[in-house]
Amino acid sequence: MLTKLVQIYMPLVMGVLIGWLASYWLPKQTPVYLGKGLFLFGVPISVFVFLRQTDRSDSIWLAGVAAWGAMLTGLGLMYWWLRWGKPKHNRLTAARSTQGTILLASMVGNTGYLGLPIALSLFGNTGFAWALFYDLLGTTLGAYGVGAMIASRYGPGKPGSSSTLPRIWQNPTLWTFMLALIYQDPLPEFVEQGLRSIAWGAISLALILIGMRLGQLTSLHQIRQTAIPLGLKMLLLPLLIWGITAPLPIPTIAKQVIVLQTAMPPAFATLVLAESYSLDPEFAVALIATGTGGLLFTLPLWLWLTGLLG
């Protein structure tokens, strides 16, 4: 068990640590440029490379259904707690802007830059495909679709800068996703090799980007108040999803990937939406940072529960 955890954690921790250290001496705009590069080139190429190498069954589309089920369940549970289960005089839930931020964090997980590398390291290309379908058909559409609607409802008015919100159809990953589904012919070997190198490099840079973003976060004084939202997002919700998917007639690897993707900490999209719609960016920062660190402790639980650790 210890050997497996070391194999999983080593590339994750090293990548994030390198990014965190680099954030102190690289220009502050570096994560912005790196993020744009990954968004436009790195992640789309990775999707194209790994998806073409995967045998896709008809059931893999259920990953998107599972993603929406998990997001809506998390949203419903957190809405119930905010409406009826919250303790009286709790400052955490006093402001509607903070409530909106909590709802977004309970719904949208970091299934892209964090969930995909974990799935690839644990399951190879087949698991990566399930995680990718979960992310693109669920998280991406949910974050900037339903998530934007929630942010607009709980914000004080129109978004301060709508240009910061990427339109779904402008996401190049979705286009390469569809291209990989359609185009299966082999490319020249030197092209395939070059694309594979870029794809693996993009996975490493995604982890470094997470470290850079975490290194720039400063508003962490609300960490104690993240316990309930993160407990629901990273503990209760994956447990419910595991109970629901366990008896279903789908591949075991699919159940494992779905649970792990559900257990991912809040995504950076939470902060993007919170800033754009004037919600509570400071609390979004606390949720992201605490959740990302907490994954080191919750991941072994889900690996054991899903049978990946004996």
Side-chain angles (χ1 to χ4, degrees), residues 29-39 113 205-206 208-209 212:
Q29 288 296 105
T30 301
V32 176
Y33 297 133
L34 178 57
K36 288 182 178 179
L38 287 172
F39 179 78
Y113 290 132
L205 289 175
I208 292 174
L209 176 61
M212 287 183 175

Side-chain angles (χ1 to χ4, degrees), residues 106-137:
S106 68
M107 172 183 170
V108 183
N110 193 347
T111 58
Y113 290 132
L114 194 54
L116 291 181
I118 290 176
L120 186 62
S121 64
L122 284 173
F123 306 104
N125 290 341
T126 302
F128 181 87
W130 277 91
L132 180 62
F133 275 62
Y134 187 107
D135 178 62
L136 291 180
L137 301 182

